[in-house]
């Protein structure tokens, strides 16, 4: 079963928070932590992983924090989830070939492609806009 971890889910939320912020502004770690009620240490682990995948950049100091490396419209949900989860596939890897057949292989290939096409069709900008529309006001940091 394809299951996105809480780290993956929080990564998508935090990236959405950064997308809602003023473009180019660094958002302090403590502010992001408070907004999502997450420990600073846990959030920092997520942001480090996002940074290793070149999705965010951090800055130390008084005006430091984290920001997106590129425009929100240039990210997809799939890119963010893969940074935390690896490849998105509903089928686990198996060393035995008990499940292999042409029909089954076709099904799993199509299923995986549909999942990846869907998550790659949603941009971070779209998620941020939906958040703003849902609450009816600018929910930016």
């Amino acid at each position: 079963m394809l299951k996105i971890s809480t780290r993956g889910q929080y990564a998508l939320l935090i990236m959405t928070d950064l997308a809602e912020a003023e473009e180019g502004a660094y958002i302090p770690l403590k502010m992001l932590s408070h907004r999502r009620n997450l420990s600073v240490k846990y959030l920092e682990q997520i942001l480090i992983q996002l940074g290793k995948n070149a999705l965010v950049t951090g800055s130390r100091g008084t005006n430091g924090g984290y920001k997106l490396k590129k425009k929100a419209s240039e990210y997809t949900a799939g890119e963010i989830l893969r940074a935390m989860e690896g490849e998105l596939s509903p089928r686990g890897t198996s060393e035995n070939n008990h499940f292999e057949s042409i029909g089954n292989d076709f099904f799993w290939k199509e299923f995986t492609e549909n999942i990846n096409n869907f998550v790659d069709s949603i941009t971070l900008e779209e998620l941020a806009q939906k958040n703003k529309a849902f609450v009816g006001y600018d929910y930016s940091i």
Side-chain angles (χ1 to χ4, degrees):
M1 169 177 30
L2 176 66
K3 187 172 182 180
I4 304 299
S5 69
T6 53
R7 285 172 55 99
Q9 293 174 50
Y10 281 129
L12 198 55
L13 278 173
I14 296 307
M15 290 291 288
T16 304
D17 287 346
L18 293 176
E20 292 176 8
E22 183 180 328
E23 191 172 334
Y26 284 96
I27 308 304
L29 183 62
K30 286 185 180 182
M31 187 180 291
L32 291 168
S33 169
H34 177 73
R35 180 162 186 198
R36 294 298 174 187
N37 198 27
L38 296 171
S39 75
V40 169
K41 188 173 181 106
Y42 182 63
L43 181 57
E44 194 168 38
Q45 291 173 0
I46 293 169
L47 286 161
I48 287 170
Q49 185 68 28
L50 292 170
K52 284 180 181 177
N53 284 277
L55 301 180
V56 299
T57 187
S59 175
R60 296 178 189 254
T62 308
N63 295 321
Y66 289 87
K67 69 177 184 175
L68 300 178
K69 267 200 143 171
K70 52 190 179 182
K71 293 181 181 185
S73 61
E74 297 175 17
Y75 293 91
T76 66
E79 175 183 19
I80 296 162
L81 292 173
R82 279 186 213 94
M84 302 304 292
E85 307 290 334
E87 287 305 309
L88 303 178
S89 174
R91 187 177 185 190
T93 57
S94 176
E95 290 186 13
N96 60 39
N97 292 330
H98 297 297
F99 300 112
E100 289 190 17
S101 76
I102 299 299
N104 280 352
D105 288 346
F106 173 78
F107 170 81
W108 290 114
K109 183 178 181 280
E110 290 290 313
F111 191 6
T112 300
E113 285 177 7
N114 282 319
I115 289 168
N116 283 282
N117 288 339
F118 173 72
V119 297
D120 289 334
S121 73
I122 307 294
T123 67
L124 187 56
E125 181 178 50
E126 289 172 310
L127 293 175
Q129 288 173 350
K130 286 181 190 286
N131 279 350
K132 290 177 184 179
F134 179 73
V135 295
Y137 64 94
D138 188 359
Y139 186 55
S140 62
I141 297 175

